[in-house]
Amino acid sequence: GQSGYTVVLESIPAGGNGRALALARARAASKAGLLQVGVLDSSLYSSLHPGYSVVFSGIYDSRGQADQALAAANAKGFSAAYVRQITR
């Protein structure tokens, strides 16, 4: 598997309409100008707590690159965002 860093914008419980809500949040983040926005199923990654749809922005090789992207996410209104290393 691969590992890298990303900026987690939001983690939404996957049950009910959680996946649909996460996709809507991802579209909003993309419209706000964030890059490489998507949704991860946290159950597929050992570094994440299972049971969540994780809205993220970017895939980075280093923590430093992710930290720079975090500053951009914060500036665009995602104040609860944080950097996370993602591993399978």
Side-chain angles (χ1 to χ4, degrees), residues 13-56:
N17 68 342
R19 176 88 178 157
L21 179 57
L23 291 170
R25 303 277 193 185
R27 282 191 293 277
S30 185
K31 286 181 183 178
L34 296 180
L35 303 176
Q36 293 179 308
V37 176
V39 177
L40 296 174
D41 177 349
S42 68
S43 299
L44 300 176
Y45 299 87
S46 64
S47 61
L48 299 173
H49 294 288
Y52 290 86
S53 292
V54 178
V55 183
F56 74 94

Side-chain angles (χ1 to χ4, degrees), residues 3-9 26 29-30 33-40 54-62 65-70 72-73 82-86:
S3 74
Y5 293 86
T6 194
V7 177
V8 173
L9 302 174
S30 185
L34 296 180
L35 303 176
Q36 293 179 308
V37 176
V39 177
L40 296 174
V54 178
V55 183
F56 74 94
S57 176
I59 303 165
Y60 305 98
D61 293 328
S62 74
Q65 291 171 322
D67 285 340
Q68 288 177 345
L70 174 62
Y82 59 93
V83 171
R84 183 67 177 246
Q85 185 174 21
I86 305 295

